[in-house]
Amino acid sequence: MDTATARKRLEEIRGELERSIAVLKGEQDSGERVSDYPQDPADAGANLSESERTQAVLHVARAQHAEVLDALHRIETGTYGICVDCGGEVPEGRLEARPEASRCVSCQAKWARSRR
Ligand SMILES: [Zn+2]
């Protein structure tokens, strides 16, 4: 994927996330339930209260937002598509699925394990 396409997709994702975060923050501040944000009924948050759930979704949205900003920064500095851990190439298919991906598949797996 060329960086112009990647940048466009990242800007779109960033816009969506910023809208979601604004909505979620509004919900959190007003104490109202999240109505139009997609929620997976099978997720582990089934026994969370509504505000805890909002907070959890907000946390995920903010983390992804930070990743998207990082990826845009890597486009600026010419390191987009390069794994931040091993310096290898992030596979094209992975960037198609997640343009904000900063690691190759094996480094991502290692990183995810180290965080659990
Ligand atoms: Zn790697």
Side-chain angles (χ1 to χ4, degrees):
M1 181 157 58
D2 64 280
T3 52
T5 308
R7 186 199 298 265
K8 192 166 160 286
R9 290 192 52 195
L10 286 163
E11 293 287 3
E12 282 167 13
I13 295 170
R14 176 163 81 161
E16 281 167 26
L17 284 169
E18 281 170 2
R19 275 193 298 278
S20 296
I21 289 169
V23 169
L24 288 163
K25 271 173 70 177
E27 305 271 1
Q28 196 176 40
D29 293 348
S30 65
E32 281 168 29
R33 66 189 308 267
V34 180
S35 45
D36 60 351
Y37 198 84
Q39 292 183 1
D40 180 2
D43 75 14
N47 52 6
L48 291 179
S49 77
E50 209 60 57
S51 71
E52 281 170 332
R53 182 189 283 271
T54 302
Q55 206 152 18
V57 178
L58 193 52
H59 180 78
V60 170
R62 280 191 172 130
Q64 198 191 355
H65 184 246
E67 283 178 36
V68 169
L69 292 185
D70 270 3
L72 284 166
H73 181 71
R74 289 196 301 278
I75 290 176
E76 300 298 330
T77 56
T79 58
Y80 182 74
I82 298 170
C83 175
V84 294
D85 283 353
C86 71
E89 241 175 81
V90 180
E92 185 85 355
R94 177 161 170 74
L95 291 174
E96 293 279 345
R98 281 196 63 182
E100 75 275 26
S102 58
R103 291 175 177 84
C104 67
V105 178
S106 65
C107 289
Q108 180 65 36
K110 262 184 254 170
W111 180 81
R113 269 202 302 276
S114 75
R115 281 167 54 95
R116 268 175 206 144

